[in-house]
Structures are given as structure tokens and as C-alpha cells.
Amino acid sequence: MAAVKYTKADWVAQADIQELANGQFQGVVLVSHENGKSSEEARHTVAAPSDSPEQALEQATALAHRLLADVKA
């Protein structure tokens, strides 16, 4: 994973896309502590699928920014 990676304090948000069975794409974001355990990871998906991988990645990037904005540094 991780087409795009963002960090805030010791938090990391990795944004990427996945292709769905119907040919659409969905943005996904994995949020974790930089040196954390896999049990501390949280996977988030963009609510609506997209017709293009570029649009899905753009939506995943926006979601990553929103998720990190909510993290207390």
C-alpha cells in the first residue's frame, strides 16, 4: 500500500486505492503510529467509489488529511 504517505507527530496516514470487482476504484487510508504495532492500525475507506484511479486517490488523499487533522500531536 501507500501511494501517498503523510505524517503528523508519530502518526502516519498512507493513502492508496483498490480496484473493485465492478471496475470502479475506492480510496483507502491506513492510519497507524509510526513505530506502532499492527494492532494500532486503522483502515478507512472513502464512502463512494470512483470511476477513475486518479479520482479515487484524490479522495483518499483528502480523507488522509482529515484523519490526521483530528489527531492530537
Side-chain angles (χ1 to χ4, degrees):
M1 198 167 150
V4 182
K5 181 178 175 181
Y6 299 100
T7 59
K8 179 179 178 182
D10 65 341
W11 289 94
V12 178
Q14 300 177 67
D16 208 342
I17 60 169
Q18 63 182 12
E19 187 170 2
L20 303 175
N22 64 2
Q24 290 186 304
F25 300 87
Q26 187 164 33
V28 293
V29 178
L30 180 65
V31 178
S32 62
H33 278 108
E34 195 163 27
N35 296 317
K37 302 172 186 152
S38 61
S39 63
E40 296 176 329
E41 295 178 347
R43 187 173 189 266
H44 303 269
T45 57
V46 174
S50 301
D51 291 327
S52 72
E54 296 83 9
Q55 185 180 24
L57 184 58
E58 184 178 311
Q59 291 174 345
T61 299
L63 177 58
H65 282 283
R66 286 193 305 271
L67 291 169
L68 285 181
D70 291 339
V71 170
K72 301 211 187 313

